[in-house]
Amino acid sequence: MKEKLEAIRKQAEAELDGLTSPEQIESFRVAVLGKKGELTSILKMMGKLSAEERPVMGQLANDVRAFIEEKITEKSKEIKEKEMQKEIDSMPIFDVSAPSDLSRGSYHPITLVQRECENVFKSMGFAVENYSEIVTDYECFEALNIPKHHPARDMQDTYYLENGQLLKSHTSAAQNAIYKKYRDSLINDGLPIKAIFPGRCFRNEATDACHENTFFQMEGVMVDKDISISNLIYFMKTMLSEVFRKDIKVRLRPGFFPFVEPGFELDISCLICGGEGCPSCKHSGWLELCPCGMIHPEVLKAGGIDPEEYTGFAFGLGLTRLAMMKYGVKDIRDLNSGSLKSLSQFTDDE
Ligand code: PHE
């Protein structure tokens, strides 16, 4: 029996050496260690041995079993590693130092227009402010003279978070914070508040060629003693003719916004159709570009500024619309499409 066990050990070792797959290992394991395996059938013959021989042979059989099990584990590991290496070798070579054949990226048309507007306003002494996309109901509505249940809220249905905050539906949502930030220097040092704050806005909209649920605006405010509508018109005209690099046709219509009084809509003639009418301008020949007006006394008050002493103007420039006009984008949805084919046409000439 001793010789038989030794023979099994030797044979198993040799056989295992030639195995190359996990399946082969498994059938080998069954053939040697399984219920009907070679080693098991020898163990069954133990009963026939004498009382002295039995423990010695039992010990040897256990050693052989442990030896074979260990060899099987080793071999399985070796085969797995080899398979993994094969897979790695078959992968395409990725050389991080190889020169890229991707073409250069380009700035998004809205970024280009935003920067251009920022530069024009900066040159006129405006500070550029950044503001959060998530705001409170107070900032977006209450502080802007839009109490709960006011019908003006219907126009600005947006996306609400579970904690009651919301995605800002217009950049005016930053007005309150801007007034509070600058009011001390306005009141104590006599410095006017002159700030623009561009940002992404969200509305629950049915989308079409001129409506999107995500769009960009640029708010601007100026507050000081004796600010009037003439100041507003001057800044708007200067900025637009700089951006379009020509005198563009504009018109002012009365417009209602609870946070300005009086309020206006500033339209520019549609640059896509030249004023004849197309889907981008809702066939009117005009594009609503910039709602604006004199800041409502209640809004100044909410920002800690005395409306008896100070006045100001505010405007909400539609950066998305402006980009469409400037670059002749016919469908607003192209701007958020992520389509490089459409967007890479706009190169930065700075
Ligand atoms: N926040 C307004 C809107 O998005 C636009 C606006 C801004 C109007 C500033 C007047 C003054 O509809």
Side-chain angles (χ1 to χ4, degrees):
M1 183 176 265
K2 190 171 174 224
E3 291 74 49
K4 264 198 178 161
L5 283 170
E6 283 301 341
I8 289 180
R9 185 211 294 258
K10 268 209 185 116
Q11 201 192 332
E13 203 175 357
E15 247 178 73
L16 255 175
D17 217 34
L19 302 185
T20 52
S21 74
E23 294 76 29
Q24 285 176 346
I25 296 251
E26 180 54 17
S27 28
F28 170 81
R29 196 188 59 78
V30 173
V32 182
L33 307 178
K35 265 188 199 159
K36 291 178 187 156
E38 278 176 74
L39 190 64
T40 322
S41 45
I42 291 195
L43 291 179
K44 279 180 190 156
M45 283 149 54
M46 285 282 180
K48 290 178 190 149
L49 296 176
S50 67
E52 299 90 63
E53 262 183 325
R54 214 176 294 149
V56 183
M57 283 305 133
Q59 181 63 47
L60 184 63
N62 278 342
D63 288 351
V64 171
R65 188 182 182 89
F67 174 83
I68 295 175
E69 274 172 353
E70 200 189 311
K71 286 281 164 203
I72 288 180
T73 313
E74 264 174 30
K75 190 70 189 175
S76 301
K77 207 173 141 206
E78 188 190 311
I79 289 177
K80 252 192 215 147
E81 274 167 10
K82 265 195 195 146
E83 279 186 345
M84 219 186 310
Q85 193 56 47
K86 234 198 221 160
E87 210 179 307
I88 292 171
D89 290 345
S90 69
M91 281 180 178
I93 295 167
F94 181 69
D95 178 1
V96 285
S97 64
S100 155
D101 61 357
L102 290 174
S103 52
R104 261 180 74 225
S106 61
Y107 284 109
H108 194 283
I110 293 178
T111 305
L112 295 177
V113 166
Q114 179 181 324
R115 287 190 178 174
E116 210 163 344
C117 295
E118 282 177 9
N119 287 339
V120 178
F121 276 106
K122 274 199 267 184
S123 73
M124 298 192 285
F126 282 73
V128 183
E129 291 286 342
N130 199 358
Y131 205 68
S132 156
E133 289 176 356
I134 297 174
V135 296
T136 60
D137 185 276
Y138 177 79
E139 292 170 305
C140 202
F141 301 120
E142 300 263 340
L144 292 168
N145 210 19
I146 312 176
K148 288 207 164 47
H149 313 299
H150 191 289
R153 287 199 181 205
D154 292 351
M155 310 278 291
Q156 303 213 2
D157 188 16
T158 181
Y159 302 93
Y160 287 80
L161 277 70
E162 277 171 3
N163 66 5
Q165 287 186 307
L166 44 104
L167 299 187
K168 69 170 187 271
S169 56
H170 53 173
T171 41
S172 307
Q175 278 194 25
N176 192 258
I178 300 288
Y179 299 143
K180 287 175 178 161
K181 178 172 174 182
Y182 288 99
R183 75 181 157 200
D184 287 346
S185 36
L186 170 74
I187 295 164
N188 300 329
D189 309 328
L191 298 173
I193 300 177
K194 283 167 95 179
I196 51 167
F197 25 109
R200 197 197 312 255
C201 302
F202 307 85
R203 285 191 201 173
N204 184 7
E205 290 269 14
T207 56
D208 60 27
C210 43
H211 293 91
E212 248 293 18
N213 51 28
T214 306
F215 54 94
F216 287 79
Q217 289 186 339
M218 193 171 83
E219 192 94 352
V221 292
M222 179 168 181
V223 183
D224 200 358
K225 289 186 172 152
D226 303 323
I227 295 292
S228 72
I229 298 170
S230 332
N231 298 105
L232 166 65
I233 294 171
Y234 167 78
F235 280 107
M236 295 320 298
K237 275 206 94 164
T238 308
M239 192 274 301
L240 289 169
S241 38
E242 285 282 328
V243 169
F244 289 102
R245 296 196 181 102
K246 61 175 175 184
D247 248 0
I248 50 142
K249 262 204 270 175
V250 298
R251 72 174 186 189
L252 268 184
R253 292 178 287 123
F256 172 71
F257 303 92
F259 38 95
V260 284
E261 180 56 38
F264 309 103
E265 290 284 0
L266 187 140
D267 298 342
I268 63 169
S269 61
C270 180
L271 300 180
I272 289 177
C273 62
E276 278 172 20
C278 69
S280 297
C281 60
K282 295 184 202 151
H283 303 282
S284 70
W286 291 95
L287 251 218
E288 223 177 272
L289 186 70
C290 188
C292 50
M294 300 305 292
I295 302 164
H296 196 286
E298 288 302 323
V299 175
L300 286 176
K301 248 194 249 170
I305 296 167
D306 180 3
E308 296 291 330
E309 213 174 325
Y310 298 97
T311 49
F313 66 76
F315 60 84
L317 187 62
L319 277 184
T320 300
R321 277 229 166 130
L322 196 56
M324 289 172 74
M325 291 284 88
K326 191 166 158 83
Y327 294 107
V329 179
K330 291 194 178 63
D331 192 320
I332 192 170
R333 292 166 292 192
D334 286 341
L335 295 170
N336 287 349
S337 67
S339 154
L340 291 179
K341 210 169 155 196
S342 324
L343 298 174
S344 60
Q345 300 166 43
F346 313 101
T347 47
D348 187 6
D349 47 28
E350 274 167 37

